[in-house]
């Protein structure tokens, strides 16, 4: 009897659905110039909704300078890049953008990738190949892309408890003193909204002769002088060996990158399959990102407004007795604690209240810590927040979820 491929696929999907973890994409149309407003495209009436879970943290995906730069690039050179970076896919837009990113982080060089996932995966895997015997020390809450990159490298790894410097030092001290080492961590852990102790990590790296690798995906553009990230805010950027970031969140466009020494960047450029064998970013993407970075290097308005919005939303949630998780950053999570319930709450908010926020379930977060993750932006008004809180209270009570008195 032939193997039943279809039933195997169906069984795997059924298991996801039983656990309440099956994902349904919301088909929306963002309103250019009107964000966070959007239309729910799959709804018959195309009802207006308010987006509360976008990673376009500063609304730069709607900024006139970004849009103008992208239109100008399309008119000048067309749509796609036409190839890999090695084969006709390096345009002057790419070269300028890499220079701008290197300058942002105070590094010798930078290298573009098609996404933040690819930049982490390709860089960490390649470092394992060019540094024989490398040992990687990874925070337990690191992003899936970092975990995949470390796994693909096949090098020995040790996972330290989240932000636990005593545990990290214990692992470093037990490792071969002569072996090359790398500490991989994030600046902002996006599901909790927590910062990493960058200075303490750098201290340990220097003590034990390790390289430092920081994922600034949720920090770049948002923190520090010129939006250079959490390490720049902490005064530790010059002590970080490799900065990885995204162009798709605070900068509002698409892509990923690393910034580091000229020799390290050249090694990744020369040996990473995830860089070598893929078509480069479209010139319009590079042009739009370039405009976004240059604007945010000289403007603090967006960052200050975001900080104000996040603080106000946290206060409103707390005042309504909603289980807002403590977060020092711009990320505002509400704990639910059950996958099926988390999805049901999200579905009800969208269907009955025009509030779009996605459930965050396993494997993104551990089972039993399922949550809704809100990302207020500079464009979210006080009135929008009040409407959101009213909707949440109604839905929370309807689903019989406890609220604080």
């Amino acid at each position: 009897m032939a193997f039943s491929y279809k039933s195997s696929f169906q069984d795997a999907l059924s298991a996801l659905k039983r656990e309440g973890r099956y994902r349904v994409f919301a088909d929306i149309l963002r309103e250019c110039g009107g964000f966070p407003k959007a239309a729910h495209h799959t709804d018959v009436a195309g009802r207006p909704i308010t987006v509360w879970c976008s990673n376009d943290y500063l609304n730069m995906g709607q900024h006139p300078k970004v849009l103008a730069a992208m239109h100008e690039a399309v008119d000048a050179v067309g749509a796609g890049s036409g190839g890999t970076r090695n084969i006709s896919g390096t345009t002057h837009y790419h070269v300028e953008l890499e220079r701008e990113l290197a300058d942002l982080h105070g590094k010798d060089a930078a290298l573009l990738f098609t996404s933040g996932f690819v930049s982490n995966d390709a860089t960490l895997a390649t470092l394992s190949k060019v540094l024989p015997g490398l040992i990687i020390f990874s925070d337990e809450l690191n992003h899936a892309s970092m975990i995949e990159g470390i796994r693909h490298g096949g090098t020995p790894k040790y996972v330290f408890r989240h932000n636990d410097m005593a545990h990290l030092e214990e692992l470093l001290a037990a490792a071969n003193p002569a072996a090359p080492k790398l500490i991989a961590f994030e600046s902002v852990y996006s599901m909790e909204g927590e910062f990493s102790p960058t200075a303490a990590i750098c201290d340990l790296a220097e003590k034990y002769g390790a390289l430092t690798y920081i994922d600034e995906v949720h920090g770049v553009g948002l923190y520090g002088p010129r939006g250079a990230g959490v390490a720049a805010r902490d005064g530790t950027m010059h002590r970080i060996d490799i900065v990885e970031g995204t162009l798709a969140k605070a900068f509002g466009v698409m892509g990923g990158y690393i910034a580091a020494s000229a020799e390290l960047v050249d090694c990744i450029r020369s040996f990473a399959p995830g860089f070598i064998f893929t078509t480069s970013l479209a010139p319009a993407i590079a042009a739009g990102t370039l405009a976004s970075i240059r604007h945010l290097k000289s403007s603090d308005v967006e960052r200050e407004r975001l900080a104000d919005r996040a603080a106000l939303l946290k206060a409103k949630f707390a005042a309504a007795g909603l289980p807002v998780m403590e977060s020092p950053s711009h990320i505002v999570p509400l704990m639910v604690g059950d996958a099926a319930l988390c999805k049901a709450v999200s579905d009800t908010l969208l269907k009955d209240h025009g509030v779009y926020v996605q459930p965050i379930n396993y494997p993104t977060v551990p089972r039993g810590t399922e949550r809704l993750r809100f990302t207020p932006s500079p464009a979210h008004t006080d009135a929008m927040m009040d409407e959101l809180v009213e909707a949440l209270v109604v839905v929370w009570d309807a689903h019989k979820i406890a609220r604080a008195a």
Side-chain angles (χ1 to χ4, degrees):
M1 180 182 293
F3 186 83
S4 178
Y5 297 101
K6 184 175 181 179
S7 64
S8 295
F9 297 143
Q10 290 173 335
D11 289 346
L13 292 171
S14 295
L16 271 184
K17 291 175 181 177
R18 283 195 303 273
E19 295 176 23
R21 296 194 295 116
Y22 182 73
R23 299 167 194 248
V24 178
F25 297 154
D27 184 353
I28 67 171
L29 287 171
R30 299 209 313 173
E31 182 182 319
C32 187
F35 187 82
K37 292 298 183 183
H40 189 198
H41 192 59
T42 48
D43 184 86
V44 175
R47 291 174 306 138
I49 61 172
T50 303
V51 179
W52 281 100
C53 54
S54 173
N55 285 336
D56 186 0
Y57 293 133
L58 299 176
N59 308 137
M60 291 305 293
Q62 307 278 315
H63 198 282
K65 289 182 181 178
V66 174
L67 300 183
M70 295 183 77
H71 282 297
E72 183 179 338
V74 167
D75 290 341
V77 300
S81 68
T84 65
R85 289 292 298 275
N86 187 51
I87 304 175
S88 81
T90 295
T91 71
H92 191 59
Y93 297 102
H94 297 87
V95 174
E96 277 196 288
L97 180 52
E98 286 173 339
R99 288 173 181 165
E100 200 74 32
L101 288 164
D103 173 77
L104 177 66
H105 295 295
K107 303 301 181 189
D108 295 339
L111 191 68
L112 291 171
F113 294 84
T114 51
S115 74
F117 190 106
V118 174
S119 54
N120 269 332
D121 187 6
T123 302
L124 287 165
T126 303
L127 286 171
S128 298
K129 306 299 184 186
V130 299
L131 295 173
L134 177 68
I135 304 170
I136 296 181
F137 301 83
S138 176
D139 189 288
E140 68 176 333
L141 294 188
N142 276 344
H143 190 263
S145 58
M146 300 174 77
I147 295 168
E148 285 295 293
I150 294 168
R151 185 175 66 84
H152 290 156
T155 196
K157 73 173 186 303
Y158 295 93
V159 178
F160 60 93
R161 291 186 293 270
H162 177 53
N163 279 351
D164 187 333
M165 295 300 97
H167 189 216
L168 174 57
E169 182 162 21
E170 180 185 323
L171 295 172
L172 286 163
N176 179 359
K181 304 173 188 68
L182 180 143
I183 304 171
F185 60 103
E186 299 186 40
S187 66
V188 183
Y189 290 88
S190 62
M191 294 303 127
E192 291 74 24
E194 296 173 346
F195 294 115
S196 61
T198 64
I201 291 173
C202 289
D203 289 344
L204 289 176
E206 290 165 9
K207 181 177 179 179
Y208 292 96
L211 293 173
T212 45
Y213 183 106
I214 190 170
D215 177 316
E216 282 272 19
V217 161
H218 294 275
V220 71
L222 302 170
Y223 300 97
R226 306 192 305 162
V230 172
R233 181 201 68 180
D234 294 349
T236 57
M237 183 66 73
H238 65 289
R239 302 172 68 190
I240 302 286
D241 295 294
I242 307 156
V243 179
E244 183 272 342
T246 185
L247 311 175
K249 293 182 171 59
F251 295 134
V253 194
M254 178 185 176
Y257 67 92
I258 59 166
S261 68
E263 296 81 7
L264 189 148
V265 168
D266 202 11
C267 272
I268 303 303
R269 182 188 72 86
S270 301
F271 294 106
F275 172 81
I276 297 169
F277 298 106
T278 191
T279 301
S280 65
L281 291 171
I285 295 288
T289 308
L290 191 60
S292 182
I293 294 171
R294 286 173 173 168
H295 174 80
L296 290 173
K297 277 183 173 180
S298 61
S299 175
D300 289 321
V301 172
E302 293 82 3
R303 285 185 281 274
E304 291 170 355
R305 173 72 175 171
L306 174 62
D308 171 79
R309 298 291 83 193
L312 182 59
L313 186 60
K314 291 171 190 175
K316 286 181 180 291
F317 280 177
L322 295 164
V324 59
M325 299 169 62
E326 286 190 22
S327 161
S329 72
H330 58 285
I331 293 164
V332 186
L334 276 186
M335 179 58 70
V336 178
D338 177 88
L341 185 57
C342 197
K343 185 176 187 312
V345 168
S346 171
D347 289 346
T348 304
L349 284 168
L350 182 61
K351 180 176 179 292
D352 296 344
H353 301 276
V355 169
Y356 177 39
V357 58
Q358 278 288 62
I360 306 296
N361 292 336
Y362 177 85
T364 307
V365 295
R367 287 186 173 91
T369 67
E370 292 83 2
R371 66 202 67 175
L372 299 176
R373 175 181 175 273
F374 293 86
T375 52
S377 76
H380 284 91
T381 65
D382 289 17
M384 289 176 183
M385 291 187 189
D386 290 337
E387 291 170 2
L388 171 63
V389 171
E390 289 174 12
L392 282 166
V393 167
V394 169
V395 174
W396 232 250
D397 293 346
H399 287 277
K400 296 181 172 56
I401 310 172
R403 290 191 293 122

